[in-house]
Amino acid sequence: MAKGNRQSAEVNSGSMADIAFLLLIFFLVTTTIPNDKGITLQLPPYTEEPPPILEENEKNIFKVLVNAKDMMLVEDEPIFDAKEIRGKAKEFILNFGKPDADAMDVYNSLPPSLKSLSLKNPKSSDFPKEAIVSFKTDRGTSYERYITVLDELKAAYYEIYGARIGMTADEFRNMDRKKNKAKYARARTGIPMNISIAEPGKAGGTGK
Amino acid sequence: MSKFKKKSATSQDIPTAALPDIIFMLLFFFMVTTVLRQDEPEVEQRFPDATQLSKIEKKSLVSYIYVGKPRNIDLYGKEARIQVNDVLIDKEEVAQFVNEERDKLEEAEKMQLTLNLKVDNNVKMGIVSDLQFELRKANARKILYTALPRGME
């Protein structure tokens, strides 16, 4: 039998691009690029009654208050720009008003840029381990303002940690903690991140 | 000497044989880099800006809680609500959700459960604080507030 008319053995691939386009558009539409970045926080353990705050500790507490109208009060002084909080918090944490022996070692290990922030004011914090940053909001405070202020408080600590090991706050945060355990520990020794989120007040109402 | 004579006989077609390959490359890129979303948020989700952002270290340890004004106002009202797993819940049910999520983890990792709070910008602190109180009761104390990176300082 003679071979008949030879038909082309190739598969027509002209529409391949169209099929691929269709798939591409499907994936473009159905998927979202996840943004899994955020501000971390460790909540305090649950207790039946809130622990009483001692009067003598007052100077070791850095008070940040935000009311239902999103107005801020830092250490009993009204402030209008949340960015001011970072500097004030750093000065408070690094005050070293009445350091004990361990705290003195911490102080001596600080780089000059952080030492210069230490005002040794007897009315401010004794040393970083004792210093507590207390952040109290109202039930009517907006979440946006809460995050803005919390961000500034975290920034204060991260900038201190970063400066201790010669990094910026960003570099410190994005450092691989498992690989740089020693560095991470060195940045944090003697200066724990004492951010306390107080139960919000109800004075400003819950709003609408 | 004809003025209108074409100068050369080069082909005017652009070769399109490699086009499917290019498109496939794009396709694979999107297939690899994107993840299908698990939950469909029933509440408004616009996040605040922040600078001090950290990445989630281990995704399997993370559970998501959404808070915001419901999208379907007629059905759920205007007040901000808490959503987990595609359903809106009351704050009393949060502890149950946490325990369910914790049961999914390995024994050694149970205490490392991280709650990613996806809270809308316009929510008031009242509901967030109630939610955090419930989480403390359930002893799920590692949380992460979703926020977007702020532009330049």
Side-chain angles (χ1 to χ4, degrees), chain A residues 20-31:
Chain A
F21 255 126
L22 223 74
L23 275 168
L24 177 64
I25 289 162
F26 169 76
F27 274 95
L28 274 172
V29 170
T30 54
T31 54

Side-chain angles (χ1 to χ4, degrees), chain A residues 58-76:
Chain A
E58 191 108 326
K59 65 175 177 179
N60 277 325
I61 297 174
F62 183 76
K63 283 177 289 181
V64 182
L65 277 166
V66 186
N67 74 0
K69 284 181 177 160
D70 285 356
M71 296 191 294
M72 294 166 287
L73 198 69
V74 174
E75 291 284 68
D76 302 326

Side-chain angles (χ1 to χ4, degrees), chain A residues 13 16-17 20-21 23-24 27-28 30-47 68 83 86 137-144 146-148 150-152 154-155 158-159 169-170 173-174 177-178 197 199-200 206-208, chain B residues 19-20 23-24 26-27 30-31 33-37 47-57 59 64 79 116-130 132-133 135-137 139-150 153:
Chain A
S13 64
M16 186 82 100
F21 255 126
L23 275 168
L24 177 64
F27 274 95
L28 274 172
T30 54
T31 54
T32 48
I33 294 169
N35 61 315
D36 282 335
K37 282 186 164 185
I39 298 176
T40 53
L41 187 73
Q42 181 89 20
L43 295 176
Y46 175 69
T47 46
K83 289 200 177 81
R86 190 182 303 193
T137 58
D138 191 274
R139 288 186 70 87
T141 305
S142 76
Y143 177 71
E144 193 173 9
Y146 169 75
I147 288 296
T148 312
L150 184 64
D151 189 42
E152 290 298 316
K154 294 221 96 170
Y158 282 131
E159 280 181 9
D170 278 325
R173 257 192 348 271
N174 297 325
R177 285 183 195 179
K178 289 202 181 91
I197 309 290
E199 194 66 18
T206 49
K208 276 180 188 165
Chain B
L19 193 59
I23 304 303
F24 264 117
L26 271 172
L27 177 64
F30 276 96
M31 280 173 74
T33 54
T34 55
V35 190
L36 289 168
R37 71 167 104 183
F47 303 117
D49 298 344
T51 54
Q52 308 299 310
L53 303 178
S54 311
K55 259 189 192 165
I56 289 175
E57 282 154 26
K59 262 198 157 172
Y64 299 89
E79 284 292 313
N116 186 345
L117 303 190
K118 292 183 170 257
V119 186
D120 187 77
N121 245 340
N122 298 322
V123 166
K124 299 285 179 197
M125 277 311 286
I127 188 167
V128 180
S129 146
D130 289 343
Q132 283 175 189
F133 185 70
L135 292 178
R136 281 170 59 195
K137 265 196 196 165
N139 204 17
R141 285 163 37 219
K142 278 181 88 166
I143 57 174
L144 182 108
Y145 300 108
T146 294
L148 304 174
R150 191 179 297 156
E153 278 273 326

Side-chain angles (χ1 to χ4, degrees), chain B:
Chain B
M1 219 154 80
S2 163
K3 275 183 185 172
F4 303 104
K5 194 185 174 189
K6 280 194 179 161
K7 274 177 187 161
S8 67
T10 35
S11 163
Q12 302 259 317
D13 297 330
I14 302 167
T16 55
L19 193 59
D21 301 352
I22 296 162
I23 304 303
F24 264 117
M25 235 155 69
L26 271 172
L27 177 64
F28 288 144
F29 171 76
F30 276 96
M31 280 173 74
V32 169
T33 54
T34 55
V35 190
L36 289 168
R37 71 167 104 183
Q38 309 100 325
D39 304 321
E40 187 67 40
E42 303 257 358
V43 291
E44 283 183 10
Q45 295 274 277
R46 265 181 324 224
F47 303 117
D49 298 344
T51 54
Q52 308 299 310
L53 303 178
S54 311
K55 259 189 192 165
I56 289 175
E57 282 154 26
K58 214 172 164 193
K59 262 198 157 172
S60 60
L61 298 175
V62 178
S63 298
Y64 299 89
I65 298 181
Y66 308 85
V67 182
K69 201 170 103 180
R71 289 216 167 109
N72 190 341
I73 292 172
D74 300 334
L75 202 56
Y76 303 113
K78 276 185 186 171
E79 284 292 313
R81 297 285 300 269
I82 300 166
Q83 183 201 341
V84 295
N85 292 338
D86 286 342
V87 280
L88 297 179
I89 59 166
D90 290 324
K91 62 178 191 231
E92 287 77 18
E93 296 166 74
V94 170
Q96 193 194 339
F97 167 73
V98 170
N99 288 329
E100 279 168 16
E101 291 295 309
R102 197 173 276 152
D103 283 344
K104 289 180 196 164
L105 298 178
E106 308 251 333
E107 200 60 47
E109 291 176 331
K110 280 202 196 306
M111 287 327 289
Q112 294 185 50
L113 176 73
T114 305
L115 274 307
N116 186 345
L117 303 190
K118 292 183 170 257
V119 186
D120 187 77
N121 245 340
N122 298 322
V123 166
K124 299 285 179 197
M125 277 311 286
I127 188 167
V128 180
S129 146
D130 289 343
L131 174 60
Q132 283 175 189
F133 185 70
E134 294 296 323
L135 292 178
R136 281 170 59 195
K137 265 196 196 165
N139 204 17
R141 285 163 37 219
K142 278 181 88 166
I143 57 174
L144 182 108
Y145 300 108
T146 294
L148 304 174
R150 191 179 297 156
M152 294 295 121
E153 278 273 326

Side-chain angles (χ1 to χ4, degrees), chain A residues 2 6 22 43-44 46 52 67 73 92 98 119 123 156 164 187:
Chain A
R6 291 185 185 218
L22 223 74
L43 295 176
Y46 175 69
N67 74 0
L73 198 69
F92 165 79
K98 209 174 80 185
L119 300 174
K123 284 184 182 150
R164 284 184 92 185

